[in-house]
């Protein structure tokens, strides 16, 4: 026998200990299945609300129905226009008709027997119609109708056997009879009035002469009728009420039309409306051929010229200097750590910018933010350079913050070695004035300076202070919004891509197209005069244009021209200016 082992009975304490669960019991609530399960049945939308929902938010595939027509009967779905056409015989029955019975064929023959087309005749002859005629009638000789008599032939009528004199005589006899009956004449024929011309000569005149004047007084009387003349001379009576109404509602000659002058009490010279911003140039400038440089007047022209000078200096600094510190030291002729008016004027003359005194003052005022009469390094970098295109290296940062006395550039540095200059008493820039060019980069750029703007302390809501009436602030001071078409605020790349359609201010304008220069007609443009060239190229260019220059004069001009540029580069324009100065002296 097999031996089985039965489990031993457990006590009640052990059973309770086994069934005890750890943790806190959470009441069972809504599960994810309950949330995702669709509620059925769905709540019904009231019919009043449903017709408005069908107008604003119809269901998928439903037609939008205006709520005013929701309860109207649906007639459009069952409405049918026109007359229903009966089904005709199909093409299959025409091509393959059903076979006819013998009875149907015999009935068809009896129906067609009465027609003459059903009677058979030999090929090429008409069928015999004599069975329907009387027996006494001879079909071979009998004729029907009335015999018409023959008249003259058509040839005799068209071309009668008569002479030309006979034809003309018969025509005149017929014409005279036609004149008596119809009083009709040929074109250009003279009317015979049965006058006795034997009593009168060829120069005789009949009738009463009409009085006339060669000065046209009769025509003037016919154009000016008597009734019209008297109407203008006579007095015109108008009601005083109508006259006042017309004067108030209709414009009067020499007066301003003011329909509410009786109710609105304003000064006589008051003008309503807002001052419109004037155009840069008007019709007068076009009629009088005003040069483009003089289109703008007053402060607008002043600001435009300052912007043009700054743009020229930015281009020169970007193309001639490798760093901001090198450009600043070139401007700082006296080595005092700032640029004064004399230094700025010398550099402008060096770069072919002969500025007048007022223009130089305006340029200094624009760049001098702290109003101390001098331009420091931050002001120079912000207003006369593209600082984002010329970042500052570590060596230049130490020089600017006066952390080292000399500028010793490493051997592997790609830039030119900065000239050694004794440190100034104060640093050119503070460390907090330099910001990283990019996140995580060691190169830095000067921080951006904003020119101060005058802000009004308090604002009044009066219409006289918000430029709505005459005497308010002009609209020329409005702030300009948007991106300019000509991006003079950006540095032009040295190598411009084909896909780059941005105008950096160095492209040809409409004025250059209307008034092209002589050298542009030969394929020589402005940039060819300012690009640096070698000594041999300059000599070949001036020799080819026919300029007779001795070797001593050429060497002297080359030496003076190379001194005008910081790096010693010489272009055609600078060499030509120097040559003119030598010849003038």
């Amino acid at each position: 026998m097999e031996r089985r082992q039965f489990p031993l009975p457990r006590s009640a304490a052990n059973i309770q200990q086994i069934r005890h669960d750890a943790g806190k019991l959470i009441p069972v609530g809504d599960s994810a299945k309950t949330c995702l399960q669709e509620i059925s049945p769905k709540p019904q939308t009231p019919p009043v609300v449903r017709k408005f929902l069908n107008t604003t938010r119809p269901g998928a595939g439903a037609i939008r129905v205006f709520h005013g027509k929701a309860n109207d009967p649906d007639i459009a779905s069952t409405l049918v226009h026109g007359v229903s056409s009966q089904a005709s015989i199909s093409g299959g029955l025409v091509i393959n008709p059903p076979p006819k019975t013998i009875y149907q064929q015999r009935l068809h023959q009896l129906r067609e027997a009465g027609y003459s087309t059903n009677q058979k005749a030999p090929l090429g002859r008409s069928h015999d119609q004599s069975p329907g005629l009387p027996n006494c009638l001879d079909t071979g000789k009998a004729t029907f109708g009335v015999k018409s008599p023959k008249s003259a032939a058509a040839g005799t009528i068209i071309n009668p056997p008569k002479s030309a004199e006979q034809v003309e005589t018969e025509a005149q006899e017929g014409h005279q009879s036609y004149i008596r009956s119809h009083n009709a004449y040929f074109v250009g024929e003279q009317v015979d009035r049965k006058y006795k011309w034997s009593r009168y000569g060829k120069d005789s005149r009949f009738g009463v002469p009409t009085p006339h004047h060669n000065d046209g007084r009769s025509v003037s009387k016919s154009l000016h009728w008597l009734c019209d003349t008297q109407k203008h001379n006579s007095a015109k009576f108008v009601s005083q009420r109508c006259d006042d109404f017309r004067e108030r509602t209709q414009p009067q000659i020499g007066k301003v039309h003011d329909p509410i002058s009786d109710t609105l009490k304003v000064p006589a010279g008051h003008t309503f409306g807002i001052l419109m911003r004037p155009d840069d140039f008007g019709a007068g400038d076009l009629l009088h051929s005003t040069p483009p440089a003089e289109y703008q007047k007053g402060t607008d022209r002043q600001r435009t010229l300052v912007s043009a000078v700054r743009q020229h200096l930015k281009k020169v600094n970007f193309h001639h200097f490798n760093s901001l510190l090198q450009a600043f030291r070139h401007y700082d002729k006296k080595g005092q750590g700032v640029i004064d008016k004399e230094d700025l004027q010398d550099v402008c003359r060096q770069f072919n910018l002969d500025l007048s005194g007022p223009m130089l003052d305006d340029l200094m005022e624009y760049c001098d933010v702290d109003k101390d009469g001098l331009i420091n390094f931050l002001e120079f970098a912000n207003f006369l350079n593209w600082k984002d295109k010329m970042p500052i290296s570590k060596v230049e940062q130490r020089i600017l913050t006066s952390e080292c006395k000399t500028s010793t550039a490493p051997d592997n540095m790609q830039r030119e070695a900065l000239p050694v200059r004794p440190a100034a008493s104060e640093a050119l820039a503070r460390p907090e004035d330099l910001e990283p060019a990019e996140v995580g980069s060691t190169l830095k750029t000067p921080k951006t300076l904003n020119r101060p703007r005058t802000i009004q302390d308090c604002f009044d809501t009066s219409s006289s202070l918000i430029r709505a009436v005459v005497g308010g602030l002009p609209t020329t001071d409005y702030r300009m919004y948007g991106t300019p078409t000509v991006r003079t605020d950006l540095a032009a790349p040295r190598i411009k891509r084909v896909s780059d359609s941005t105008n950096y201010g160095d492209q040809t304008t409409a004025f250059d197209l209307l008034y092209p220069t002589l050298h542009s007609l030969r394929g020589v443009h402005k940039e060819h005069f300012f690009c640096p060239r070698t000594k041999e190229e300059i000599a070949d260019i001036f020799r080819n244009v026919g300029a007779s220059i001795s070797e001593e004069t050429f060497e002297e001009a080359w030496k003076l021209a190379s001194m005008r540029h910081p790096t010693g580069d010489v272009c055609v324009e600078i060499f030509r200016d120097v040559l003119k100065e030598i010849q003038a002296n």
Side-chain angles (χ1 to χ4, degrees), residues 536-557:
E536 290 76 12
E537 291 179 349
I538 295 292
D540 293 340
I541 290 173
F542 281 86
R543 188 183 305 109
N544 293 332
V545 298
S548 58
I549 307 173
S550 61
E551 295 184 1
E552 297 178 357
T553 307
F554 182 82
E555 293 293 337
E556 183 182 359

Side-chain angles (χ1 to χ4, degrees), residues 206-213 218:
F206 303 92
V208 180
T210 304
H212 68 282
H213 303 277
S218 301

Side-chain angles (χ1 to χ4, degrees), residues 517-528:
T517 57
L518 295 178
H519 54 77
S520 63
L521 300 177
R522 301 291 183 178
V524 181
H525 301 284
K526 184 178 180 181
E527 57 269 15
H528 298 153

Side-chain angles (χ1 to χ4, degrees), residues 389-403:
K389 301 291 182 177
M390 305 171 68
I392 303 173
S393 62
K394 287 185 177 181
V395 178
E396 296 172 352
Q397 295 173 22
R398 292 196 299 269
I399 296 174
L400 291 174
T401 55
S402 298
E403 293 183 3

Side-chain angles (χ1 to χ4, degrees), residues 44-164:
Q44 297 293 332
T45 305
V48 179
V49 180
R50 189 184 301 113
K51 67 178 183 179
F52 286 98
L53 294 179
N54 291 336
T55 302
T56 57
R57 293 177 297 174
I63 300 175
R64 187 187 299 270
V65 181
F66 184 65
H67 58 82
K69 299 181 180 180
N71 298 328
D72 295 348
D74 187 11
I75 304 176
S77 60
T78 58
L79 186 62
V80 179
H81 299 275
V83 180
S84 58
S85 58
Q86 297 179 357
S88 60
I89 187 171
S90 62
L93 296 178
V94 175
I95 297 173
N96 189 14
K100 296 182 180 180
T101 61
I102 299 176
Y103 174 76
Q104 290 177 349
Q105 294 178 3
R106 184 60 181 168
L107 182 62
H108 180 71
Q109 292 177 0
L110 292 176
R111 289 178 180 175
E112 297 292 331
Y115 297 100
S116 60
T117 56
N118 193 37
Q119 299 177 6
K120 298 181 180 180
L123 183 63
R125 297 182 182 181
S126 63
H127 60 275
D128 188 9
Q129 299 180 0
S130 58
L133 297 177
N135 297 327
C136 61
L137 185 64
D138 188 2
T139 58
K141 299 180 179 180
T143 57
F144 300 92
V146 179
K147 184 178 180 180
S148 58
K150 294 183 179 179
S151 60
T156 307
I157 296 175
I158 295 174
N159 190 11
K162 297 179 181 180
S163 62

Side-chain angles (χ1 to χ4, degrees), residues 14 22 38 57 93 233 316 395 399 414-415 420 529 540:
N14 293 334
E38 185 178 2
R57 293 177 297 174
L93 296 178
N233 296 334
V316 169
V395 178
I399 296 174
Q414 298 297 330
R415 299 175 176 272
V420 179
F529 287 91
D540 293 340

Side-chain angles (χ1 to χ4, degrees), residues 376-527:
N376 55 28
F377 179 78
L378 286 180
E379 296 169 348
F380 173 78
N382 275 272
F383 301 113
L384 297 180
N385 291 275
W386 286 306
K387 60 185 184 63
D388 297 335
K389 301 291 182 177
M390 305 171 68
I392 303 173
S393 62
K394 287 185 177 181
V395 178
E396 296 172 352
Q397 295 173 22
R398 292 196 299 269
I399 296 174
L400 291 174
T401 55
S402 298
E403 293 183 3
C404 63
K405 299 299 182 182
T406 58
S407 57
T408 305
D411 297 336
N412 57 356
M413 190 174 181
Q414 298 297 330
R415 299 175 176 272
E416 292 184 2
L418 297 174
V420 179
R421 178 177 292 184
S425 59
E426 296 181 0
L428 297 180
R430 296 176 299 178
E432 57 268 17
D433 293 337
L434 303 179
E435 300 175 350
E438 296 179 358
V439 179
S441 175
T442 58
L443 301 178
K444 294 187 178 182
T445 57
K447 71 176 183 180
T448 304
L449 294 180
N450 296 323
R451 300 182 70 252
R453 299 179 60 185
T454 57
I455 302 176
Q456 193 173 356
D457 296 336
C458 57
F459 296 90
D460 299 332
T461 58
S462 172
S463 60
S464 62
L465 294 182
I466 60 174
R467 300 177 292 275
V469 295
V470 175
L473 297 177
T475 55
T476 54
D477 296 334
Y478 284 3
R479 181 181 176 185
M480 301 293 291
Y481 295 91
T483 304
T485 306
V486 181
R487 299 304 303 273
T488 56
D489 55 332
L490 300 178
R494 291 188 175 93
I495 300 176
K496 190 175 181 180
R497 298 182 179 178
V498 179
S499 60
D500 189 3
S501 59
T502 307
N503 185 2
Y504 296 97
D506 54 353
Q507 298 182 5
T508 305
T509 60
F511 179 79
D512 298 331
L513 296 177
L514 295 176
Y515 306 99
T517 57
L518 295 178
H519 54 77
S520 63
L521 300 177
R522 301 291 183 178
V524 181
H525 301 284
K526 184 178 180 181
E527 57 269 15

